[in-house]
């Protein structure tokens, strides 16, 4: 009987294809579901890692392929390369119902072509460039048979000790929401049925970025109001952009592990937000509910997770071991199981896997897409847009800055520091190394040789390692520095010092690197410092004493070329920090939109009975939204279209921005709003809009922002989102310290 039904299904399936696919995907999903055994349904919810690579604590179980053949695996992660995905899919095609596997991968900032770290890209504030980066990553990964990326990470974080800040868009909810949207659009393309699209995944739902003490996997505890106001909007933005999946998270929120959180997953996400896609657990997070002390054993964890709305179990083996029995014992309603299976099958249909389980991925297509020159150009473009110029102080006369090194000729340039010749580090955490990286990845050294090598002589000395106390290389560095006209020192973290499970209690520039800079600066020659890292680092001596500082993050395949573009002035830097840089770990958590207190400090050293530390200035080292250009931008006065508006009216805020420097330059014009008096304490200011504009020297432009009720609203204790009548301040400028201000009233 069953065999007949299968034949009927297969025939009718092809007939449907031929007759122009008259049936909707939902109907197909339902007919397939009717054919599935309980065990096959559970199989669809089971995701395992390949043995080629692990992105978590791996559990080896011998008969993985046999399970695939039996239809007991729905999805694989970490299978790289068209050849491997193809051969596993061939095994899935031997299963009774021939349901294709879904191949998932952490395609976080590029696949074959590596783009800047997501945090670095966020510094570009350039949504088109960010979308393009995700688009290219999707094309390259899809050609290898990958269907699903575990990106974008949309966790807001205000704690640079947390190693995963490198994977997100920084501290701000508004900027983070814009970027979430751009990344989802980029990964998913026009339609996920296109063979160059990936399913995107908004992670980690929710509040993983608020782990206490910046310690990965730790507890989060916060008011619902704060959760709704600060941490959820980027997820909501991803949802609105049509994201195909969500990943829950390792942390508990106010006592309930996110993986077992019914309110978040069933009520809010699948209910209020009407999300129809897949909710996947994080690696082992179903089973980890036992460690949390929230589930008694793996069976209990499986039950709690599925009841709470987690559809797919990544690597816990809780669903595969216990779900069928839980359904048989009627502890889990089969309807819940069916709903989870439906969500997964629907995506497999939407991807077109039932038409072509290989989605045209093959080694020839893989090779041709991987070698697209345009991808490297795009990587260089976003890399230069991500570089933040932190300092470029004039030496002597006003115009005499070290940067840009325009038209520099016949000079000796010393390139010092442990990162000058680094190759793999440029790829950063969450990236793939390829056998030809040593020729393909452009190190700083190579990029500088490309740009300056023909007309100047470049000298190198490593000076020291990234970590450790060894200063024995300083002498050789000094020799090189003494022969040179200009010293460029490249310091920072290694790539694997930030990322998952890379929390650090000290985020000072590691080892003796700052000492190397001190010794080289003491030689009295011009010094430029480049800092590469996956998080905001602390480098106070450098900040105070070195005239030119450039934050270069990890910029991917084209890193060296992009840095040389900025140093030479071929590209005028335009990036702005997406996170506040502290002066000391003691200031953390630190963020620009803190709540107004009863005892605010008035200036930097004011610490007498006000909210301040006795042993530190009040300001951060560098504020959110800050970044310099080789041009100078001047702001006029903020002009508002009305003094008072009603709840249904909107208001425009105008400001004139002028480029008073001598280079063409881009500026991110930022608008912040403060609700002066409200029924709840409000932040001192919040980013509500920005525009990136390009101005020629001497050019001025009127920039206009529209303010509506939405920008004025906030969450009350009962989670109503409202705008309260009263006074609002509007600040516009080039960073979160924007000083130009105007006020209006909401009736
Ligand atoms: C654990 C990480 O938290 C998550 O972001 C990632 O996607 C999975 N491992 C899979 O590698």
């Amino acid at each position: 009987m069953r065999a007949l039904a299968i034949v009927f299904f297969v025939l009718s399936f092809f007939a449907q294809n031929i007759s122009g696919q008259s049936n909707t995907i939902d109907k197909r999903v339902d007919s397939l579901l009717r054919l599935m055994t309980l065990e096959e349904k559970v199989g669809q919810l089971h995701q395992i890692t390949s043995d080629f690579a692990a992105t978590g604590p791996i559990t080896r179980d011998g008969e993985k392929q046999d399970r695939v053949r039996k239809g007991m695996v729905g999805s694989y992660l970490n299978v790289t390369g068209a050849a491997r995905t193809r051969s596993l899919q061939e095994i899935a095609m031997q299963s009774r119902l021939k349901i294709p596997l879904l191949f998932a991968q952490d395609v976080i900032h590029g696949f074959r072509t590596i783009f800047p770290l997501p945090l670095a890209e966020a510094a570009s504030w350039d949504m088109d460039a960010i979308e393009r980066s995700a688009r290219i990553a999707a094309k390259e990964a899809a050609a290898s048979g990958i269907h699903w990326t575990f990106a974008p990470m949309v966790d807001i974080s205000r704690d640079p000790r947390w190693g995963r800040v490198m994977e997100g868009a920084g501290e701000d909810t508004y900027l983070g929401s814009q970027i979430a949207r751009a990344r989802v659009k980029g990964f998913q393309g026009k339609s996920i049925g296109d063979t160059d699209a990936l399913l995107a995944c908004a992670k980690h739902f929710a509040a993983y970025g608020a782990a206490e003490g910046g310690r990965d996997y730790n507890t989060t505890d916060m008011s619902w109001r704060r959760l709704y106001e600060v941490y959820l909007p980027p997820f909501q933005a991803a949802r609105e952009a049509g994201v195909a999946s969500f990943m829950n998270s390792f942390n508990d929120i106010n006592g309930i592990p996110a993986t077992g959180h019914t309110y978040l997953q069933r009520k809010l996400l699948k209910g209020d937000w009407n999300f129809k896609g897949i909710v996947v657990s994080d690696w082992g997070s179903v089973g980890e509910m036992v460690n949390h002390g929230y589930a008694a054993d793996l069976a209990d964890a499986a039950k709690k997770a599925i009841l709470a709305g987690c559809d797919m179990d990544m690597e816990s083996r809780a669903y595969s071991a216990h779900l069928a029995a839980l359904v048989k014992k009627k502890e889990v309603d089969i309807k819940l199981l069916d709903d989870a299976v439906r969500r997964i099958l629907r995506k497999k249909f939407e991807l077109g896997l039932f038409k072509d389980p290989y989605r045209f991925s093959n080694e020839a297509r893989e090779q041709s897409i991987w070698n697209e020159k345009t991808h490297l150009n795009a990587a260089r473009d976003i890399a230069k847009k991500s570089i933040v110029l932190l300092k470029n102080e004039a030496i002597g006369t006003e115009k005499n800055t070290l940067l840009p090194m325009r038209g520099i000729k016949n000079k000796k340039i010393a390139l010092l520091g442990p990162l000058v010749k680094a190759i793999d580090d440029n790829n950063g955490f969450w990236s793939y190394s390829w056998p030809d990286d040593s020729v393909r990845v452009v190190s700083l050294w190579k990029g500088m040789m490309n740009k300056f090598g023909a007309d100047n002589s470049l000298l190198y000395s490593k000076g020291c390692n990234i970590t450790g106390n060894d200063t024995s290389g300083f002498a050789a560095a000094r020799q090189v520095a003494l022969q040179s006209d200009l010293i460029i020192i490249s310091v920072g973290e290694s790539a694997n010092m930030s990322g998952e499970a890379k929390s650090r209690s000290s985020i000072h520039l590691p080892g003796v690197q700052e000492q190397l800079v001190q010794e080289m600066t003491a030689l009295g020659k011009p010094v430029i410092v480049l800092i590469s890292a996956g998080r905001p680092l602390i480098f106070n001596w450098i900040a105070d004493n070195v005239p030119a500082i450039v934050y270069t993050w990890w910029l991917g395949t084209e890193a060296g070329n992009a840095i040389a573009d900025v140093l030479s002035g071929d590209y005028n830097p335009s990036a702005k920090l997406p996170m506040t840089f502290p002066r000391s770990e003691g200031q953390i958590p630190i963020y620009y939109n803190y709540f107004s207190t009863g005892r605010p400090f008035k200036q930097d050293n004011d610490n007498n009975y006000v909210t301040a530390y006795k042993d530190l200035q009040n300001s951060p080292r560098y504020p959110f939204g800050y970044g310099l250009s080789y041009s100078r931008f001047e702001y006029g006065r903020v002009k508002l279209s009305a003094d008072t508006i009603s709840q249904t009216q909107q208001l425009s805020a105008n400001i004139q921005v002028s480029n008073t420097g001598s280079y063409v330059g881009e500026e991110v014009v930022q608008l912040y709003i403060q609700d002066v008096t409200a029924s709840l304490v409000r932040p001192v200011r919040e980013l509500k809009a920005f525009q990136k504009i390009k101005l020629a020297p001497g050019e001025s432009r009127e920039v206009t922002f529209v303010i509506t009720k939405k920008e004025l609203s906030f969450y009350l204790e009962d989670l109503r989102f409202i705008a309260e009548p009263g006074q609002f301040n509007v600040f516009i400028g080039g960073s979160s310290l924007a000083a130009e201000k105007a006020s209006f009233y909401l009736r």
Side-chain angles (χ1 to χ4, degrees):
M1 202 48 205
R2 175 146 279 158
L4 258 183
I6 294 169
V7 171
F8 176 71
F9 168 74
V10 171
L11 284 179
S12 69
F13 175 67
F14 283 112
Q16 280 161 18
N17 272 344
I18 293 162
S19 69
Q21 302 188 340
S22 52
N23 275 337
T24 64
I25 284 179
D26 280 344
K27 281 190 185 148
R28 292 175 180 193
V29 167
D30 282 341
S31 14
L32 181 50
L33 201 67
R34 277 196 288 276
L35 299 175
M36 295 171 77
T37 63
L38 177 58
E39 286 68 25
E40 283 165 339
K41 289 179 179 176
V42 171
Q44 286 305 304
L45 313 188
H46 182 41
Q47 185 183 58
I48 48 175
T49 182
S50 78
D51 297 330
F52 309 124
T55 48
I58 195 163
T59 320
R60 293 209 182 271
D61 38 6
E63 48 7 315
K64 281 182 184 168
Q65 299 198 354
D66 195 40
R67 294 180 133 260
V68 173
R69 202 170 282 115
K70 289 187 179 136
M72 308 269 167
V73 178
S75 173
Y76 248 99
L77 73 149
N78 293 328
V79 184
T80 32
R84 282 171 173 161
T85 48
R86 184 164 269 272
S87 79
L88 269 172
Q89 198 67 296
E90 277 163 4
I91 298 175
M93 288 303 103
Q94 296 163 25
S95 65
R96 193 178 75 92
L97 291 173
K98 304 192 187 329
I99 301 177
L101 287 165
L102 195 56
F103 290 110
Q105 188 86 31
D106 291 285
V107 181
I108 306 294
H109 55 110
F111 186 65
R112 162 73 170 153
T113 308
I114 304 298
F115 288 84
L117 300 180
L119 183 65
E121 286 190 350
S124 74
W125 297 52
D126 183 328
M127 299 308 121
D128 292 340
I130 290 173
E131 184 178 333
R132 201 174 318 124
S133 149
R135 186 82 290 277
I136 291 171
K139 283 186 181 176
E140 293 184 352
S144 288
I146 306 297
H147 311 130
W148 184 13
T149 176
F150 294 138
M153 184 184 105
V154 302
D155 297 311
I156 297 300
S157 180
R158 294 153 163 195
D159 193 332
R161 292 171 300 181
W162 192 48
R164 294 198 80 169
V165 295
M166 53 75 48
E167 198 182 340
E171 77 186 40
D172 184 63
T173 303
Y174 178 78
L175 178 62
S177 301
Q178 305 303 309
I179 292 177
R181 218 169 264 133
R183 290 200 165 123
V184 169
K185 275 164 65 188
F187 286 127
Q188 298 194 166
K190 289 202 185 72
S191 152
I192 58 176
D194 294 345
T195 53
D196 66 358
L198 296 180
L199 305 179
C201 181
K203 69 186 190 185
H204 304 83
F205 197 61
Y208 181 45
E212 280 183 1
R215 281 213 309 282
D216 219 349
Y217 317 118
N218 207 9
T219 299
T220 66
D221 202 309
M222 66 175 72
S223 69
W224 281 96
R225 197 163 55 76
R226 181 172 256 194
L227 183 72
Y228 269 68
E229 202 156 286
V230 177
Y231 292 88
L232 293 183
F235 287 99
Q236 219 163 342
R239 160 75 191 94
E240 282 161 18
V243 74
S245 67
F246 272 64
M247 184 184 290
N248 55 37
S249 55
F250 291 121
N251 56 286
D252 72 282
I253 305 167
N254 304 342
I256 301 179
T259 305
H261 212 298
T262 309
Y263 179 86
L264 279 181
Q265 297 173 107
R266 279 218 185 277
K267 160 82 176 67
L268 181 69
L269 178 58
K270 293 181 173 178
D272 300 353
W273 295 1
N274 194 25
F275 175 65
K276 298 282 182 228
I278 303 170
V279 178
V280 62
S281 80
D282 203 342
W283 182 297
S285 70
V286 175
E288 285 171 21
M289 290 200 287
V290 178
N291 297 346
H292 275 287
Y294 186 73
D297 51 30
L298 203 58
D300 191 28
K303 178 175 163 184
K304 290 201 156 108
I306 191 89
L307 293 181
C310 170
D311 301 315
M312 188 180 273
D313 168 6
M314 183 199 300
E315 272 293 308
S316 285
R317 293 162 176 75
Y319 285 6
S320 57
H322 300 289
L323 258 191
L326 286 164
V327 171
K328 283 181 195 148
K329 284 192 277 176
K330 303 223 176 313
E331 288 186 37
V332 169
D333 189 336
I334 184 75
K335 285 199 190 113
L336 282 189
L337 183 73
D338 283 351
D339 174 63
V341 178
R342 260 195 201 99
R343 288 167 181 269
I344 292 156
L345 292 178
R346 197 183 292 133
K347 290 300 163 211
K348 291 185 175 182
F349 272 106
E350 286 174 11
L351 280 163
L353 288 177
F354 285 91
K355 267 191 261 165
D356 174 5
Y358 310 101
R359 285 183 103 220
F360 310 113
S361 84
N362 57 52
E363 284 167 276
R365 176 170 170 230
E366 187 175 56
Q367 281 310 315
S368 93
I369 291 186
W370 281 11
N371 289 310
E372 267 280 348
K373 181 84 174 68
T374 53
H375 295 186
L376 290 176
N377 296 341
R380 182 168 177 166
D381 181 64
I382 178 106
K384 61 195 188 194
K385 289 176 171 159
S386 305
I387 296 170
V388 189
L389 178 63
L390 292 179
K391 190 173 175 189
N392 193 22
E393 214 168 65
I395 301 169
T397 63
E398 205 210 327
K399 289 213 157 135
N400 197 15
T401 52
L402 289 179
L403 292 170
M405 296 158 56
R406 185 153 274 189
I408 191 166
K409 272 203 168 71
N410 303 322
K411 298 279 186 221
K412 282 195 173 149
I413 305 172
L415 284 167
L416 311 178
L419 293 168
V420 174
K421 293 204 173 176
I423 302 279
D424 292 345
D425 283 300
N426 291 295
N427 289 338
F429 196 84
W430 284 129
S431 58
Y432 301 89
S433 302
W434 304 99
D436 60 353
D437 271 355
S438 60
V439 287
R440 199 170 135 99
V441 175
V442 185
S443 64
L444 174 64
W445 175 256
K446 199 157 136 193
M448 293 298 282
M449 283 301 279
N450 291 344
K451 185 76 73 179
F452 300 100
D455 298 330
N456 300 279
S457 91
L458 268 54
L459 311 173
Y460 165 71
S461 182
K462 185 174 174 192
C464 62
N465 293 323
I466 294 168
T467 53
N469 303 324
D470 186 3
T471 54
S472 61
F474 284 17
R478 194 176 305 117
Q479 285 314 310
V480 169
L482 283 170
Q483 297 169 45
S484 308
D485 304 297
L486 171 66
I487 303 169
I488 299 176
I489 314 178
S490 169
V491 291
E493 292 183 328
S494 61
N496 67 6
M497 288 172 85
S498 49
E500 185 182 345
K502 304 286 187 279
S503 297
R504 301 186 78 82
S505 65
S506 165
I507 56 165
H508 276 71
L509 191 62
V512 291
Q513 296 182 93
E514 199 152 19
Q515 207 180 318
L516 174 72
V517 177
Q518 285 170 4
E519 298 224 358
M520 299 306 117
T521 309
L523 302 176
K525 305 216 172 195
V527 174
I528 299 168
V529 168
L530 312 179
I531 303 174
S532 293
R535 53 155 66 87
L537 290 180
I538 297 170
F539 42 90
N540 290 320
W541 191 90
I542 293 176
D544 287 333
N545 296 287
V546 173
I549 307 170
V550 183
Y551 216 72
T552 53
W553 316 100
W554 292 120
L555 296 168
T557 313
E558 284 289 318
N561 283 335
I563 296 170
D565 285 340
V566 165
L567 298 187
S568 65
D570 287 348
Y571 181 75
N572 186 356
S574 62
K576 302 277 188 177
L577 296 176
M579 280 188 87
T580 306
F581 276 44
R583 295 173 185 276
S584 149
E585 290 88 358
Q587 286 179 309
I588 299 170
I590 185 165
Y591 48 98
Y592 79 93
N593 47 349
Y594 55 88
F595 291 104
S596 300
T597 70
R599 301 242 178 138
F601 59 80
K602 300 221 168 38
Q603 66 231 355
D604 218 10
N605 291 314
D606 176 13
N607 60 16
N608 199 20
Y609 290 103
V610 293
T611 312
Y613 295 108
K614 279 284 178 205
D615 55 353
L616 200 64
Q617 283 136 283
N618 296 321
S619 60
R621 185 81 247 188
Y622 300 107
F624 171 83
Y626 167 84
L628 301 173
S629 157
Y630 299 144
S631 315
R632 232 192 351 262
F633 296 102
E634 280 173 20
Y635 286 79
R637 309 303 305 269
V638 179
K639 286 177 271 162
L640 301 179
S641 60
D643 296 334
T644 305
I645 55 168
S646 71
Q647 296 264 342
T648 53
Q649 286 173 323
Q650 57 182 41
L651 172 97
S652 66
N654 283 2
I655 196 159
Q656 173 149 313
V657 187
S658 310
N659 180 351
T660 58
S662 41
Y663 298 92
V664 176
E666 290 160 281
E667 169 74 333
V668 181
V669 183
Q670 303 161 41
L671 175 135
Y672 296 84
I673 295 182
Q674 179 190 23
D675 187 345
V676 180
T677 313
S679 62
L680 289 171
V681 173
R682 302 299 305 141
V684 290
R685 58 177 65 185
E686 294 172 285
L687 181 72
K688 292 294 176 183
F690 61 86
Q691 288 179 36
K692 192 164 185 174
I693 59 166
K694 190 173 191 171
L695 295 176
E699 189 184 347
S700 295
R701 183 154 335 142
E702 192 85 356
V703 178
T704 302
F705 295 98
V706 174
I707 299 169
T708 66
K709 184 178 173 187
K710 186 169 166 227
E711 283 73 43
L712 310 178
S713 299
F714 64 96
Y715 285 96
L716 296 177
E717 291 274 43
D718 62 8
L719 301 181
R720 272 180 304 135
F721 189 61
I722 60 146
E724 288 183 346
Q727 187 189 344
F728 290 84
N729 291 333
V730 178
F731 305 86
I732 304 181
S735 82
S736 56
L737 299 182
E740 290 307 326
K741 175 179 156 190
S743 303
F744 70 95
Y745 288 83
L746 177 72
R747 273 201 302 272

